[in-house]
Amino acid sequence: MGDMGDAADLPDLAYVGAKIVHSTFGPGKVTFVGPYKGVPACSVQFEGHVKALELQYAIPHVRLAEDEVPIQPKKRGWFGR
């Protein structure tokens, strides 16, 4: 089996339950993260189908869904505007 490496090496979206959006397959939910055929991968439940995605190839095409992204406070300017 392949080595998944340190958890710090995994992208932010590589956890079970993460809601993601893939540029081709659309919105989905991560159902598995771990080695698949010896490489780091994740399984994603998209609408009507499940896909196994190798992390190294999926990362450029995947982002966290809007409701998963932590809200960051607006940075205020020098005078508090």
Side-chain angles (χ1 to χ4, degrees):
M1 283 306 231
D3 182 18
M4 280 298 293
D6 190 84
D9 296 338
L10 294 175
D12 291 342
L13 55 89
Y15 64 91
V16 174
K19 295 177 188 173
I20 63 162
V21 178
H22 189 282
S23 60
T24 301
F25 307 123
K29 188 173 185 179
V30 177
T31 57
F32 169 82
V33 176
Y36 176 72
K37 295 186 177 181
V39 296
C42 66
S43 179
V44 181
Q45 174 69 53
F46 293 103
E47 192 172 310
H49 60 281
V50 176
K51 293 278 186 187
L53 305 173
E54 285 188 36
L55 292 178
Q56 70 175 357
Y57 300 116
I59 297 306
H61 305 282
V62 177
R63 64 177 170 79
L64 283 173
E66 294 296 319
D67 57 345
E68 284 285 305
V69 178
I71 299 172
Q72 300 206 357
K74 235 180 170 179
K75 293 189 179 189
R76 296 193 173 254
W78 182 259
F79 295 103
R81 292 187 230 165

